[in-house]
Amino acid sequence: MNDIYANTILTGFSYILTGFVFVCMTTLLKNILDEQDIKCETEKNKELTTDMIKALVKTIDAKDPYTNGHSIRVAEYTRMLAEQTYTDSDELHNIYNIALLHDIGKIGIPDNIINKPGKLTDEEFKVIKGHTLTGAKILSEIKSAPELIYGAKYHHERYDGKGYPCGLKGEEIPEISAIIAVADAYDAMTSNRSYRKLLPQETVKQEIEKGLGTQFNPKWGKIMLKLIEKDKDYKMHQ
C-alpha cells in the first residue's frame, strides 16, 4: 500500500512538473517570437525613417544640379569611415542618418545663390555659411534626437579652429561632425562642379594629406586616406 501510495504521489508530481515545464517552454517560445516581431517592426521603422530622410535630402540636393546626390554620398562615406572604428549597427545607422541631414539648412538658400556659376560675393558667401545654423535650428525641433544637430551645425568647423560657424578647435568639435567634415570635403573634390570636373584621385589624396591637423581631425583624415588606398579603381566618386 505504501508503494502504491508513493507511486501515485510520484506520478502526480511528474504530471505537475511536466505541465510546469510545458507552460514555461510555451511562455519562453512566445516571448522569443514576440521579441522577433518587435525587432522586425523596429527594423522596418528604422528603414522607413531613413527612406523618408533620403526623400527629403534628395529634394534639397536637387536645388543644385551639380551637387545632386551629395547628401547620400556624404552619408555613405561617413558610414564607411565610422565602420573602421564602430561596430554597433544601431550606432552606425544613427551616424548615417545624422550625415544624411548635414546640409538640410540649404533649404533656406535662394536658388540664384546656390546655383550661381561664378564666384560668390562676400554677402552671398555669408548666406551660404548660414546653412549650418539654419540646419541646426530646424533639427533642434526634434527633441527625441538632440544629436542630430551636430552634423548640420558643425560639419564646416576645422581642426585648427578656422572653420565656421563657431570656430571650434580640435577635440571641441563633436566626433560625428569631424567625420562628416572629411566625408563632405572628399565628396566635394570627387564630384563635378559648374567650374571644374571631379579631381583625379591622386590630387584628392594629396589634399586630404595637406589638411591633416589643419582642416581635418588627423584620426579621420588618415582613415579616409586608407579608404582611398583601397579604392584602386577609383570607384568612390560621383
Side-chain angles (χ1 to χ4, degrees), residues 15-210:
Y15 281 129
I16 293 172
L17 182 61
T18 302
F20 177 74
V21 171
F22 177 77
V23 170
C24 289
M25 291 298 294
T26 301
T27 303
L28 179 61
L29 181 59
K30 183 179 182 301
N31 289 339
I32 292 173
L33 292 174
D34 287 345
E35 286 179 7
Q36 289 177 341
D37 288 341
I38 293 171
K39 185 176 181 180
C40 182
E41 196 64 31
T42 300
E43 290 299 319
K44 286 182 180 178
N45 289 336
K46 284 168 60 178
E47 289 179 10
L48 178 61
T49 300
T50 299
D51 287 345
M52 291 174 66
I53 293 173
K54 282 182 177 179
L56 172 63
V57 299
K58 281 181 179 179
T59 302
I60 298 168
D61 285 354
K63 287 168 66 74
D64 180 359
Y66 284 98
T67 60
N68 203 358
H70 168 74
S71 295
I72 291 177
R73 289 193 301 274
V74 169
E76 290 173 349
Y77 298 148
T78 299
R79 181 167 56 189
M80 290 170 68
L81 287 164
E83 284 173 344
Q84 308 307 306
T85 298
Y86 298 101
T87 57
D88 183 78
S89 59
D90 288 337
E91 188 165 18
L92 289 169
H93 182 80
N94 192 41
I95 288 171
Y96 182 82
N97 283 344
I98 292 173
L100 272 177
L101 291 164
H102 79 283
D103 266 350
I104 191 173
K106 285 186 176 178
I107 197 170
I109 300 176
D111 289 349
N112 66 307
I113 294 179
I114 204 168
N115 290 319
K116 186 176 179 179
K119 185 178 180 181
L120 296 173
T121 65
D122 291 342
E123 190 60 34
E124 288 170 338
F125 186 55
K126 185 178 179 181
V127 173
I128 290 285
K129 288 165 65 175
H131 80 278
T132 55
L133 295 177
T134 300
K137 185 176 181 180
I138 292 170
L139 296 175
S140 67
E141 298 299 320
I142 306 176
K143 307 298 184 183
S144 60
E147 70 278 4
L148 283 178
I149 72 167
Y150 295 150
K153 188 173 183 178
Y154 303 120
H155 69 279
H156 282 295
E157 299 289 354
R158 289 172 52 110
Y159 196 74
D160 59 8
K162 296 180 180 180
Y164 63 89
C166 301
L168 299 183
K169 184 178 181 180
E171 301 307 317
E172 293 174 350
I173 304 169
E175 186 170 53
I176 178 60
S177 310
I179 303 173
I180 294 173
V182 177
D184 187 50
Y186 178 84
D187 186 65
M189 290 186 282
T190 58
S191 299
N192 294 315
R193 291 290 187 267
S194 58
Y195 52 90
R196 63 151 173 82
K197 295 291 185 181
L198 63 88
L199 300 179
Q201 188 182 48
E202 186 58 32
T203 302
V204 175
K205 180 182 176 182
Q206 290 171 1
E207 290 299 316
I208 296 289
E209 289 174 339
K210 190 188 301 181

